[in-house]
Structure formats: structure tokens, C-alpha cells
Amino acid sequence: MSFTYPYPRPSVTVDTVIFALRARDLSVLLIRRKKAPFQGGWALPGGFVDENEPLEAAALRELHEETGISGVTLEQLGAFGDPGRDPRGHTVSIVYYTFVISELRVIAGDDAAEAGWHALRSLHLAGGGTGTRRRRAPDVTLAFDHARIIEAARARLQEKLHTPTLGTAFRLVPQHFTLSELQRVYEAVFGRTLDTRNFRARLLASKAVAALKAGEARGAGRQRLYHWQT
């Protein structure tokens, strides 16, 4: 049985925001568009959802086709569908995001002429970033409303760190971590340098983390390992 509706239906796309650690900063995976609109511009990996295709499956497919990346765990960020965001017509994008500890190897394909990791400070983001770290002039302007999407994904990461027991499909740090490793993640996600003594004092006072038993350590100076309290 077929149905018709007395109003136009928007197109549905998916986009994926993948963050990675780069020193004490974040980088994000982008592709250079091979076709119009915004031909030659940088954008998030993504594309149109095929008929009868689940949304997350579409996001994983487009990510693999355009960057060669597979096997990552995604979490849905939300929907973006403001009129005018896509010059081809009314398009609603369902956005997924994730975080990886280090930048993965990428291979451009399909609609991507190029794929690569870009430091957030190099992007022209509407919010201009957070924190007190000085930012150099942006050299990458993003297609569509992808600057807004990246800002929203970063804000969601910040929420995860404010509420570390909040359920998430992926981990911002390994299951067991040193306080130095955790501070590095906080500094990258929030975009500012933190005083080590104050950071550790406030974190331990909050009871958000707990130390593993004595003798479990790693890294330089055999730093003690911790885990999130659940």
C-alpha cells in the first residue's frame, strides 16, 4: 500500500564527528568535498541515507566509504535541519559522534577528494572555542552548518566530563587511567590548560574517581591507576 502526503518531505542525511587527541588539543576528521555544493571545501564525513537503511548503519557506511575508517563506536548527537543549511533543498541530518585517543589512519574515497585530521584551532567555528588558550587565525572554513555541529559535539563531550557516570557508547579515557592521562583529556576537551594541583584536588574531593589497589601503576614514575566511580 502506498501513501501520499500533502506536504513536501525533506531529504535525510547522516554526518559523523570524530574527535581525537592531539597533544593537549582536539582534532576532528574532515573530508574535502569532490562535488557541489561546496566543491573543494572541507566537511564532516557523511551523505544521504539509502532506502530502508538504518541511520547508524548509514553513518558507518558513509564514514568507511569516504575515509576508510571502520569499527568505531558511534553515539547519536542529534538532528540538524534548519531551512537553508543545504543549498540543494530542505535536508535533515542525523549526526553521530565519537572520540578516539589517537588519530586513525584515513584513506579518502567515494565523494571525498581528500581526508585528514584538523586541529580545532585551525577551524572557523562560530563559538571561537572555549577557555583561555590563544588561538591563531582560522585557515579552514567548513561547508553547510558543520561548524555549528562540531561545536555541539564538543559541548556534548564536555557534558560527559562534567558527569562522568553519564552513559556513553564510547570511552573518553581507558577503563583504568592515570590522573595525568585524565588531565590531558580534560584540557583537550575544554580547550584550556589546567593547574595540575587544583585539578587533582578537586577531582579526588568529588569522589568521581577511585584509585586501584596499591602496586597497580604505569608510565613515567609508575603513576597510580584510577577508575571512574559508578
Side-chain angles (χ1 to χ4, degrees):
M1 182 181 295
S2 62
F3 296 88
T4 59
Y5 300 89
Y7 51 84
R9 287 167 286 176
S11 299
V12 179
T13 61
V14 287
D15 289 298
T16 303
V17 186
I18 301 187
F19 292 117
L21 275 181
R22 179 182 289 188
R24 280 181 166 79
D25 199 359
L26 286 179
S27 59
V28 65
L29 180 60
L30 301 175
I31 59 102
R32 190 185 291 277
R33 290 180 57 80
K34 188 182 293 185
K35 302 177 182 177
F38 303 105
Q39 182 176 9
W42 289 97
L44 295 167
F48 288 92
V49 179
D50 289 339
E51 187 175 6
N52 298 320
E53 184 179 30
L55 293 173
E56 186 171 338
L60 290 169
R61 172 183 57 78
E62 287 286 348
L63 179 64
H64 180 68
E65 289 176 354
E66 294 186 339
T67 71
I69 289 178
S70 60
V72 296
T73 301
L74 301 178
E75 184 169 308
Q76 192 176 119
L77 175 66
F80 295 77
D82 285 353
R85 65 178 299 273
D86 189 331
R88 293 169 294 191
H90 190 191
T91 303
V92 176
S93 182
I94 311 303
V95 178
Y96 290 83
Y97 77 113
T98 193
F99 176 93
V100 294
I101 295 297
S102 58
E103 296 174 354
L104 305 174
R105 181 172 177 264
V106 296
I107 303 174
D110 194 39
D111 293 333
E114 186 179 346
W117 295 93
H118 295 256
L120 286 192
R121 65 179 178 271
S122 72
L123 307 182
H124 183 67
L125 300 180
T130 59
T132 58
R133 179 180 297 162
R134 291 188 63 185
R135 296 164 59 85
R136 64 186 177 86
D139 52 29
V140 176
T141 300
L142 294 161
F144 303 103
D145 56 353
H146 290 184
R148 177 189 170 207
I149 290 174
I150 292 171
E151 290 278 24
R154 186 178 193 176
R156 184 66 59 84
L157 284 185
Q158 293 171 351
E159 291 176 15
K160 299 291 186 185
L161 289 178
H162 275 309
T163 313
T165 57
L166 191 65
T168 182
F170 53 88
R171 295 183 182 275
L172 295 178
V173 290
Q175 183 177 5
H176 299 150
F177 49 85
T178 68
L179 293 185
S180 294
E181 290 169 339
L182 185 59
Q183 181 174 341
R184 182 182 172 217
V185 172
Y186 267 82
E187 290 180 333
V189 171
F190 286 97
R192 62 178 183 267
T193 301
L194 301 173
D195 179 82
T196 299
R197 180 177 296 180
N198 288 339
F199 170 77
R200 296 188 178 197
R202 291 180 180 179
L203 187 68
L204 295 176
S206 72
K207 307 295 184 182
V209 300
L212 301 185
K213 64 183 180 180
E216 296 192 54
R218 71 160 172 258
R222 301 295 294 167
Q223 298 181 63
R224 193 166 188 179
L225 293 175
Y226 291 77
H227 67 89
W228 290 117
Q229 292 273 47
T230 56

PDB file of all heavy atoms in Angstrom, residues 3 20 30-31 43 47 60 66 69 79 88 94 129 131 133 140 144 147 151 155 162 173 181 205 210 218 225-226 230:
ATOM      1  N   PHE A   3       1.332   5.525   0.186  1.00  0.00           N
ATOM      2  CA  PHE A   3       0.737   6.668   0.856  1.00  0.00           C
ATOM      3  C   PHE A   3       1.290   7.943   0.226  1.00  0.00           C
ATOM      4  O   PHE A   3       2.438   7.990  -0.198  1.00  0.00           O
ATOM      5  CB  PHE A   3       1.051   6.662   2.353  1.00  0.00           C
ATOM      6  CG  PHE A   3       0.471   5.481   3.085  1.00  0.00           C
ATOM      7  CD1 PHE A   3       1.183   4.295   3.184  1.00  0.00           C
ATOM      8  CD2 PHE A   3      -0.790   5.555   3.657  1.00  0.00           C
ATOM      9  CE1 PHE A   3       0.644   3.213   3.856  1.00  0.00           C
ATOM     10  CE2 PHE A   3      -1.331   4.470   4.332  1.00  0.00           C
ATOM     11  CZ  PHE A   3      -0.612   3.295   4.433  1.00  0.00           C
ATOM     12  N   ALA A  20      39.770  13.351  18.068  1.00  0.00           N
ATOM     13  CA  ALA A  20      40.946  12.617  18.540  1.00  0.00           C
ATOM     14  C   ALA A  20      41.813  13.556  19.353  1.00  0.00           C
ATOM     15  O   ALA A  20      41.735  14.788  19.203  1.00  0.00           O
ATOM     16  CB  ALA A  20      41.736  12.042  17.368  1.00  0.00           C
ATOM     17  N   LEU A  30      37.937  15.435   8.857  1.00  0.00           N
ATOM     18  CA  LEU A  30      37.195  16.121   7.800  1.00  0.00           C
ATOM     19  C   LEU A  30      37.523  15.521   6.446  1.00  0.00           C
ATOM     20  O   LEU A  30      38.584  14.907   6.264  1.00  0.00           O
ATOM     21  CB  LEU A  30      37.533  17.611   7.784  1.00  0.00           C
ATOM     22  CG  LEU A  30      37.262  18.419   9.057  1.00  0.00           C
ATOM     23  CD1 LEU A  30      37.769  19.840   8.875  1.00  0.00           C
ATOM     24  CD2 LEU A  30      35.774  18.412   9.398  1.00  0.00           C
ATOM     25  N   ILE A  31      36.608  15.740   5.503  1.00  0.00           N
ATOM     26  CA  ILE A  31      36.860  15.340   4.114  1.00  0.00           C
ATOM     27  C   ILE A  31      36.731  16.577   3.225  1.00  0.00           C
ATOM     28  O   ILE A  31      35.975  17.497   3.524  1.00  0.00           O
ATOM     29  CB  ILE A  31      35.910  14.221   3.650  1.00  0.00           C
ATOM     30  CG1 ILE A  31      34.428  14.653   3.745  1.00  0.00           C
ATOM     31  CG2 ILE A  31      36.109  12.954   4.485  1.00  0.00           C
ATOM     32  CD1 ILE A  31      33.818  15.049   2.429  1.00  0.00           C
ATOM     33  N   ALA A  43      34.392  19.326   5.000  1.00  0.00           N
ATOM     34  CA  ALA A  43      33.115  18.981   5.632  1.00  0.00           C
ATOM     35  C   ALA A  43      33.294  17.726   6.473  1.00  0.00           C
ATOM     36  O   ALA A  43      34.320  17.029   6.397  1.00  0.00           O
ATOM     37  CB  ALA A  43      32.044  18.748   4.569  1.00  0.00           C
ATOM     38  N   GLY A  47      26.611  11.602   4.220  1.00  0.00           N
ATOM     39  CA  GLY A  47      25.917  11.544   2.947  1.00  0.00           C
ATOM     40  C   GLY A  47      24.471  11.144   3.134  1.00  0.00           C
ATOM     41  O   GLY A  47      23.953  11.082   4.256  1.00  0.00           O
ATOM     42  N   LEU A  60      27.926   4.719   9.471  1.00  0.00           N
ATOM     43  CA  LEU A  60      29.121   3.872   9.421  1.00  0.00           C
ATOM     44  C   LEU A  60      29.534   3.603   7.975  1.00  0.00           C
ATOM     45  O   LEU A  60      30.726   3.575   7.649  1.00  0.00           O
ATOM     46  CB  LEU A  60      28.862   2.561  10.155  1.00  0.00           C
ATOM     47  CG  LEU A  60      28.735   2.672  11.678  1.00  0.00           C
ATOM     48  CD1 LEU A  60      28.206   1.379  12.272  1.00  0.00           C
ATOM     49  CD2 LEU A  60      30.082   3.031  12.305  1.00  0.00           C
ATOM     50  N   GLU A  66      34.154   7.179   2.689  1.00  0.00           N
ATOM     51  CA  GLU A  66      34.854   8.444   2.464  1.00  0.00           C
ATOM     52  C   GLU A  66      36.204   8.540   3.163  1.00  0.00           C
ATOM     53  O   GLU A  66      37.040   9.342   2.763  1.00  0.00           O
ATOM     54  CB  GLU A  66      33.963   9.602   2.908  1.00  0.00           C
ATOM     55  CG  GLU A  66      32.708   9.735   2.049  1.00  0.00           C
ATOM     56  CD  GLU A  66      31.892  10.974   2.385  1.00  0.00           C
ATOM     57  OE1 GLU A  66      32.040  11.524   3.496  1.00  0.00           O
ATOM     58  OE2 GLU A  66      31.106  11.405   1.517  1.00  0.00           O
ATOM     59  N   ILE A  69      37.711   4.402   7.434  1.00  0.00           N
ATOM     60  CA  ILE A  69      37.634   4.027   8.850  1.00  0.00           C
ATOM     61  C   ILE A  69      36.432   3.132   9.093  1.00  0.00           C
ATOM     62  O   ILE A  69      35.339   3.387   8.598  1.00  0.00           O
ATOM     63  CB  ILE A  69      37.545   5.283   9.744  1.00  0.00           C
ATOM     64  CG1 ILE A  69      38.884   6.017   9.740  1.00  0.00           C
ATOM     65  CG2 ILE A  69      37.143   4.925  11.164  1.00  0.00           C
ATOM     66  CD1 ILE A  69      38.892   7.290  10.560  1.00  0.00           C
ATOM     67  N   ALA A  79      19.681  15.894  15.692  1.00  0.00           N
ATOM     68  CA  ALA A  79      19.255  16.193  14.325  1.00  0.00           C
ATOM     69  C   ALA A  79      19.442  17.677  14.046  1.00  0.00           C
ATOM     70  O   ALA A  79      19.170  18.519  14.902  1.00  0.00           O
ATOM     71  CB  ALA A  79      17.803  15.788  14.117  1.00  0.00           C
ATOM     72  N   ARG A  88      20.853  22.501  -1.717  1.00  0.00           N
ATOM     73  CA  ARG A  88      20.132  21.593  -2.608  1.00  0.00           C
ATOM     74  C   ARG A  88      18.660  21.462  -2.235  1.00  0.00           C
ATOM     75  O   ARG A  88      17.870  20.906  -3.018  1.00  0.00           O
ATOM     76  CB  ARG A  88      20.794  20.202  -2.578  1.00  0.00           C
ATOM     77  CG  ARG A  88      22.185  20.178  -3.165  1.00  0.00           C
ATOM     78  CD  ARG A  88      22.895  18.876  -2.892  1.00  0.00           C
ATOM     79  NE  ARG A  88      23.164  18.701  -1.466  1.00  0.00           N
ATOM     80  CZ  ARG A  88      23.958  17.764  -0.954  1.00  0.00           C
ATOM     81  NH1 ARG A  88      24.560  16.899  -1.777  1.00  0.00           N
ATOM     82  NH2 ARG A  88      24.165  17.675   0.344  1.00  0.00           N
ATOM     83  N   ILE A  94      21.054  13.598  10.546  1.00  0.00           N
ATOM     84  CA  ILE A  94      21.178  12.933  11.839  1.00  0.00           C
ATOM     85  C   ILE A  94      22.674  12.764  12.088  1.00  0.00           C
ATOM     86  O   ILE A  94      23.367  12.127  11.285  1.00  0.00           O
ATOM     87  CB  ILE A  94      20.474  11.570  11.853  1.00  0.00           C
ATOM     88  CG1 ILE A  94      19.048  11.695  11.303  1.00  0.00           C
ATOM     89  CG2 ILE A  94      20.483  10.987  13.266  1.00  0.00           C
ATOM     90  CD1 ILE A  94      18.186  12.688  12.027  1.00  0.00           C
ATOM     91  N   GLY A 129      35.720  28.644  20.072  1.00  0.00           N
ATOM     92  CA  GLY A 129      36.429  27.823  21.034  1.00  0.00           C
ATOM     93  C   GLY A 129      36.155  28.279  22.446  1.00  0.00           C
ATOM     94  O   GLY A 129      35.461  29.248  22.692  1.00  0.00           O
ATOM     95  N   GLY A 131      37.781  28.547  26.718  1.00  0.00           N
ATOM     96  CA  GLY A 131      38.996  28.600  27.507  1.00  0.00           C
ATOM     97  C   GLY A 131      39.849  29.801  27.182  1.00  0.00           C
ATOM     98  O   GLY A 131      39.479  30.679  26.399  1.00  0.00           O
ATOM     99  N   ARG A 133      43.165  29.616  26.138  1.00  0.00           N
ATOM    100  CA  ARG A 133      44.282  29.352  25.227  1.00  0.00           C
ATOM    101  C   ARG A 133      44.185  30.258  23.998  1.00  0.00           C
ATOM    102  O   ARG A 133      43.138  30.390  23.375  1.00  0.00           O
ATOM    103  CB  ARG A 133      44.247  27.882  24.795  1.00  0.00           C
ATOM    104  CG  ARG A 133      45.368  27.499  23.827  1.00  0.00           C
ATOM    105  CD  ARG A 133      45.260  26.029  23.456  1.00  0.00           C
ATOM    106  NE  ARG A 133      45.429  25.194  24.618  1.00  0.00           N
ATOM    107  CZ  ARG A 133      45.043  23.924  24.657  1.00  0.00           C
ATOM    108  NH1 ARG A 133      44.461  23.373  23.628  1.00  0.00           N
ATOM    109  NH2 ARG A 133      45.232  23.218  25.765  1.00  0.00           N
ATOM    110  N   VAL A 140      40.581  27.110   7.951  1.00  0.00           N
ATOM    111  CA  VAL A 140      39.639  26.182   7.338  1.00  0.00           C
ATOM    112  C   VAL A 140      38.216  26.668   7.622  1.00  0.00           C
ATOM    113  O   VAL A 140      37.827  26.809   8.779  1.00  0.00           O
ATOM    114  CB  VAL A 140      39.807  24.751   7.885  1.00  0.00           C
ATOM    115  CG1 VAL A 140      38.735  23.830   7.297  1.00  0.00           C
ATOM    116  CG2 VAL A 140      41.202  24.218   7.565  1.00  0.00           C
ATOM    117  N   PHE A 144      28.291  23.710   4.731  1.00  0.00           N
ATOM    118  CA  PHE A 144      26.981  23.544   5.364  1.00  0.00           C
ATOM    119  C   PHE A 144      26.972  24.235   6.738  1.00  0.00           C
ATOM    120  O   PHE A 144      27.497  25.329   6.871  1.00  0.00           O
ATOM    121  CB  PHE A 144      26.639  22.049   5.481  1.00  0.00           C
ATOM    122  CG  PHE A 144      26.663  21.315   4.166  1.00  0.00           C
ATOM    123  CD1 PHE A 144      27.733  20.495   3.826  1.00  0.00           C
ATOM    124  CD2 PHE A 144      25.627  21.459   3.249  1.00  0.00           C
ATOM    125  CE1 PHE A 144      27.764  19.816   2.609  1.00  0.00           C
ATOM    126  CE2 PHE A 144      25.643  20.789   2.028  1.00  0.00           C
ATOM    127  CZ  PHE A 144      26.716  19.973   1.711  1.00  0.00           C
ATOM    128  N   ALA A 147      30.278  23.701  11.109  1.00  0.00           N
ATOM    129  CA  ALA A 147      30.939  24.380  12.232  1.00  0.00           C
ATOM    130  C   ALA A 147      30.048  24.309  13.474  1.00  0.00           C
ATOM    131  O   ALA A 147      30.523  24.006  14.579  1.00  0.00           O
ATOM    132  CB  ALA A 147      31.235  25.832  11.870  1.00  0.00           C
ATOM    133  N   GLU A 151      30.796  22.282  17.106  1.00  0.00           N
ATOM    134  CA  GLU A 151      30.681  22.949  18.409  1.00  0.00           C
ATOM    135  C   GLU A 151      29.718  22.181  19.316  1.00  0.00           C
ATOM    136  O   GLU A 151      29.967  22.014  20.518  1.00  0.00           O
ATOM    137  CB  GLU A 151      30.197  24.387  18.224  1.00  0.00           C
ATOM    138  CG  GLU A 151      31.211  25.315  17.574  1.00  0.00           C
ATOM    139  CD  GLU A 151      32.236  25.844  18.576  1.00  0.00           C
ATOM    140  OE1 GLU A 151      32.471  25.209  19.620  1.00  0.00           O
ATOM    141  OE2 GLU A 151      32.806  26.917  18.297  1.00  0.00           O
ATOM    142  N   ALA A 155      30.579  20.334  22.887  1.00  0.00           N
ATOM    143  CA  ALA A 155      29.819  20.627  24.100  1.00  0.00           C
ATOM    144  C   ALA A 155      29.307  19.344  24.742  1.00  0.00           C
ATOM    145  O   ALA A 155      29.271  19.220  25.970  1.00  0.00           O
ATOM    146  CB  ALA A 155      28.659  21.567  23.778  1.00  0.00           C
ATOM    147  N   HIS A 162      31.765  16.528  32.730  1.00  0.00           N
ATOM    148  CA  HIS A 162      31.114  17.109  33.904  1.00  0.00           C
ATOM    149  C   HIS A 162      30.323  16.051  34.661  1.00  0.00           C
ATOM    150  O   HIS A 162      30.184  16.122  35.887  1.00  0.00           O
ATOM    151  CB  HIS A 162      30.174  18.243  33.488  1.00  0.00           C
ATOM    152  CG  HIS A 162      30.853  19.562  33.326  1.00  0.00           C
ATOM    153  ND1 HIS A 162      31.677  20.097  34.289  1.00  0.00           N
ATOM    154  CD2 HIS A 162      30.836  20.462  32.305  1.00  0.00           C
ATOM    155  CE1 HIS A 162      32.137  21.271  33.881  1.00  0.00           C
ATOM    156  NE2 HIS A 162      31.650  21.520  32.680  1.00  0.00           N
ATOM    157  N   VAL A 173      38.499   7.984  28.204  1.00  0.00           N
ATOM    158  CA  VAL A 173      39.793   7.501  28.676  1.00  0.00           C
ATOM    159  C   VAL A 173      39.689   5.983  28.776  1.00  0.00           C
ATOM    160  O   VAL A 173      38.585   5.427  28.792  1.00  0.00           O
ATOM    161  CB  VAL A 173      40.175   8.097  30.051  1.00  0.00           C
ATOM    162  CG1 VAL A 173      40.508   9.571  29.929  1.00  0.00           C
ATOM    163  CG2 VAL A 173      39.076   7.880  31.071  1.00  0.00           C
ATOM    164  N   GLU A 181      46.861  11.291  32.498  1.00  0.00           N
ATOM    165  CA  GLU A 181      46.135  10.981  31.268  1.00  0.00           C
ATOM    166  C   GLU A 181      44.755  11.639  31.282  1.00  0.00           C
ATOM    167  O   GLU A 181      44.306  12.183  30.265  1.00  0.00           O
ATOM    168  CB  GLU A 181      45.998   9.468  31.116  1.00  0.00           C
ATOM    169  CG  GLU A 181      47.309   8.763  30.817  1.00  0.00           C
ATOM    170  CD  GLU A 181      47.215   7.259  30.921  1.00  0.00           C
ATOM    171  OE1 GLU A 181      46.289   6.753  31.594  1.00  0.00           O
ATOM    172  OE2 GLU A 181      48.078   6.574  30.339  1.00  0.00           O
ATOM    173  N   ALA A 205      38.415  15.136  45.544  1.00  0.00           N
ATOM    174  CA  ALA A 205      37.419  15.564  46.524  1.00  0.00           C
ATOM    175  C   ALA A 205      36.003  15.262  46.044  1.00  0.00           C
ATOM    176  O   ALA A 205      35.098  15.041  46.853  1.00  0.00           O
ATOM    177  CB  ALA A 205      37.568  17.053  46.807  1.00  0.00           C
ATOM    178  N   ALA A 210      38.304   6.691  41.743  1.00  0.00           N
ATOM    179  CA  ALA A 210      38.864   5.951  42.872  1.00  0.00           C
ATOM    180  C   ALA A 210      40.135   5.263  42.414  1.00  0.00           C
ATOM    181  O   ALA A 210      40.248   4.817  41.261  1.00  0.00           O
ATOM    182  CB  ALA A 210      37.857   4.930  43.393  1.00  0.00           C
ATOM    183  N   ARG A 218      51.523   2.679  36.093  1.00  0.00           N
ATOM    184  CA  ARG A 218      52.171   2.619  34.786  1.00  0.00           C
ATOM    185  C   ARG A 218      52.759   3.979  34.463  1.00  0.00           C
ATOM    186  O   ARG A 218      52.498   4.983  35.143  1.00  0.00           O
ATOM    187  CB  ARG A 218      51.190   2.178  33.703  1.00  0.00           C
ATOM    188  CG  ARG A 218      50.130   3.169  33.316  1.00  0.00           C
ATOM    189  CD  ARG A 218      49.556   2.831  31.935  1.00  0.00           C
ATOM    190  NE  ARG A 218      48.403   3.660  31.624  1.00  0.00           N
ATOM    191  CZ  ARG A 218      47.155   3.244  31.718  1.00  0.00           C
ATOM    192  NH1 ARG A 218      46.893   2.017  32.123  1.00  0.00           N
ATOM    193  NH2 ARG A 218      46.150   4.053  31.407  1.00  0.00           N
ATOM    194  N   LEU A 225      47.080   4.103  39.118  1.00  0.00           N
ATOM    195  CA  LEU A 225      45.934   3.996  38.219  1.00  0.00           C
ATOM    196  C   LEU A 225      44.631   4.252  38.971  1.00  0.00           C
ATOM    197  O   LEU A 225      44.491   3.904  40.147  1.00  0.00           O
ATOM    198  CB  LEU A 225      45.891   2.627  37.557  1.00  0.00           C
ATOM    199  CG  LEU A 225      47.038   2.336  36.585  1.00  0.00           C
ATOM    200  CD1 LEU A 225      46.932   0.887  36.085  1.00  0.00           C
ATOM    201  CD2 LEU A 225      47.019   3.292  35.415  1.00  0.00           C
ATOM    202  N   TYR A 226      43.656   4.837  38.240  1.00  0.00           N
ATOM    203  CA  TYR A 226      42.347   5.149  38.793  1.00  0.00           C
ATOM    204  C   TYR A 226      41.254   4.617  37.864  1.00  0.00           C
ATOM    205  O   TYR A 226      41.519   4.237  36.723  1.00  0.00           O
ATOM    206  CB  TYR A 226      42.181   6.665  38.950  1.00  0.00           C
ATOM    207  CG  TYR A 226      43.069   7.267  40.029  1.00  0.00           C
ATOM    208  CD1 TYR A 226      44.429   7.486  39.814  1.00  0.00           C
ATOM    209  CD2 TYR A 226      42.536   7.613  41.270  1.00  0.00           C
ATOM    210  CE1 TYR A 226      45.239   8.015  40.799  1.00  0.00           C
ATOM    211  CE2 TYR A 226      43.345   8.162  42.267  1.00  0.00           C
ATOM    212  CZ  TYR A 226      44.676   8.359  42.028  1.00  0.00           C
ATOM    213  OH  TYR A 226      45.479   8.879  43.003  1.00  0.00           O
ATOM    214  N   THR A 230      31.185   4.397  39.767  1.00  0.00           N
ATOM    215  CA  THR A 230      29.882   4.201  39.126  1.00  0.00           C
ATOM    216  C   THR A 230      28.799   4.062  40.181  1.00  0.00           C
ATOM    217  O   THR A 230      29.079   3.790  41.329  1.00  0.00           O
ATOM    218  CB  THR A 230      29.901   2.963  38.228  1.00  0.00           C
ATOM    219  OG1 THR A 230      30.291   1.812  39.002  1.00  0.00           O
ATOM    220  CG2 THR A 230      30.880   3.143  37.090  1.00  0.00           C
TER     221      THR A 230
END
